[in-house]
Amino acid sequence: MAMYEPIRGHDEEEEEEEEEEEKKKRGVECCSGDVHVDVDVDVVVDDVEMAIHSRSSASATSKIEDEGSKQRRLHQHQPPPKPQSQRLVSLDVFRGLTVALMILVDNAGGVLPAINHSPWNGVTLADFVMPFFLFIVGVSLALTYKKLSCSTVATRKAIVRTLKLLILGLFFQGGFLHGINDLTYGVDIEQIRWLGILQRIAIAYLLTALCEIWLKGVVDNVNSGSSLLRKYRFQWVFALMLTTLYLFLLYGLYVPDWEYQIPIKASSSAPKMFSVKCGVRGDTGPACNAVGMIDRKILGINHLYRRAVYARTEQCSINSPDYGPLPSDAPSWCQAPFDPEGLLSSVMAIVTCLVGLHYGHIIVHFKDHKDRIFHWMITTSCLILLGLSLDLCGMHLNKVLYSFSYMCFTAGVAGILFAAIYLMVDVCGYRRLTLVMEWMGMHALMIYIIAACNIVPVVLQGFYWGRPQNNLVIFSIPAVGYFLLL
């Protein structure tokens, strides 16, 4: 037995060694106390690769997160992009259409007197130009001052723009340039015309801008017509005060007799004196109205427009409604100066601008197209009906006096035209048809100065051959006609 056990023990050791070698071939021996666990090598390798991949992907993810956090920190330090302001295309088109209408009546009015300014009562195509411009100014101011950062800065900018318009108006319409076929320039300060189209627009712009800056209510939620009126009730009170002031002065002031003189051309004799008999109150005729009296008293008769529009009436022209020789029984006031852009008449021009401001408020507070057009049509209908009713009752439509009925009617027509253009361009998207008008509307002031103030013809006339009559303007007219025939 003693000899048997060692041999047996050796056999067991050999068997254990064989088993261990087989285990090494199959796997790796892992010892944990008395328990032996066999692990497959392929599984271990796969687990190790997955661990390495997960660690690398985790590190890559952390790097991406780090880069993203860095970019977020950079974006936080950068200022936010400024919002792009979208222009109201229909407003530019409406402005361009008004400029085109102005050019048409200025150039074709002499050939077609029917579209020229009405000699006194009544309305023609040319009589819509000024109210349209003022209406557009009001709409633009509502969009400009939609959000104010500082009222004082906005007021200062409005005053500066007003001064620029006043200076341009004095230069182009004050008499400095003597017009076509006259190469001279310069104006006598004693004869300068203080008021004009640009001056009237400047005055209306300033007062309307001040109303929009300082006379807004505290109503935040505007969702109906009544809430809109409550928010801007102070502006409506101001418009009512201006209308009351105009009517009180027009019908309440006493107009006494007055006189004027006309210098005799090519003569050294004394100017011819004319006397006009008035002594009335509330008259709205050409001779004895309060509008002309206020201009004569404050501005001076020498600073008024010398080619009065009432010189085309039947009483003053044998070619009426065009200018012409005086009839034999012409009244004494036919040759008197009268400014169509006078002081009292400009009061109602400001009200037209305030009406346009109301249309702009509807754009600001109502975002749906149907709501905008609905509120515009209500205001438009009321204005047109009121203007026509007043005209039938004796307060005639009169552009020269800028009567209250004329203001209501022309502002209502402006509202209809603006709503139609808005529906066509901004709602239906027919923009290609109006590209020319849109461009003209975006450059309205430049076109007005070039076209209405005759800047280009005056400059071209400065280049001539031999004598001033042989200038570029004279030669360009046949050339343009030739190319048009081609």
Side-chain angles (χ1 to χ4, degrees), residues 416-452:
I416 287 181
L417 187 57
F418 176 59
I421 296 173
Y422 175 83
L423 182 63
M424 181 182 70
V425 176
D426 289 318
V427 178
C428 298
Y430 295 110
R431 189 172 176 180
R432 291 184 179 180
L433 302 175
T434 58
L435 286 177
V436 176
M437 294 300 171
E438 181 182 351
W439 180 87
M440 292 177 66
M442 296 174 66
H443 304 85
L445 182 59
M446 178 190 68
I447 296 174
Y448 170 80
I449 292 174
I450 293 175

Side-chain angles (χ1 to χ4, degrees), residues 201-213:
I201 294 176
I203 295 171
Y205 165 81
L206 177 62
L207 292 180
T208 307
L210 294 178
C211 283
E212 184 65 8
I213 294 171

Side-chain angles (χ1 to χ4, degrees), residues 159 162 164 216 271 299 384 447:
I159 294 174
T162 302
K164 291 179 180 178
K216 283 184 179 180
L299 301 176
I384 292 180
I447 296 174

Side-chain angles (χ1 to χ4, degrees), residues 96-109 129 440 447-448 451-452:
L97 181 63
T98 306
V99 172
L101 179 62
M102 176 195 66
I103 296 174
L104 173 65
V105 298
D106 283 348
N107 293 276
V129 175
M440 292 177 66
I447 296 174
Y448 170 80

Side-chain angles (χ1 to χ4, degrees), residues 48-118:
V48 172
E49 289 179 352
M50 290 176 64
I52 294 174
H53 178 70
S54 61
R55 180 173 294 180
S56 61
S57 62
S59 61
T61 305
S62 63
K63 288 181 181 179
I64 294 173
E65 290 178 353
D66 292 339
E67 292 178 357
S69 61
K70 289 180 181 179
Q71 292 179 357
R72 285 195 296 271
R73 286 195 297 270
L74 290 175
H75 285 298
Q76 289 177 357
H77 291 291
Q78 291 179 354
K82 295 182 179 180
Q84 295 181 355
S85 60
Q86 295 182 352
R87 294 180 67 94
L88 190 63
V89 180
S90 55
L91 190 62
D92 288 329
V93 173
F94 189 20
R95 190 185 295 111
L97 181 63
T98 306
V99 172
L101 179 62
M102 176 195 66
I103 296 174
L104 173 65
V105 298
D106 283 348
N107 293 276
V111 181
L112 300 173
I115 68 172
N116 202 352
H117 290 288
S118 175

Side-chain angles (χ1 to χ4, degrees), residues 125 193 291 330 381 469:
L125 189 62
R193 183 189 176 195
V291 173
S381 303
Q469 289 76 14

Side-chain angles (χ1 to χ4, degrees), residues 402-422:
Y402 216 110
S403 61
F404 179 58
S405 58
Y406 168 81
M407 186 279 300
C408 293
F409 179 73
T410 54
V413 174
I416 287 181
L417 187 57
F418 176 59
I421 296 173
Y422 175 83

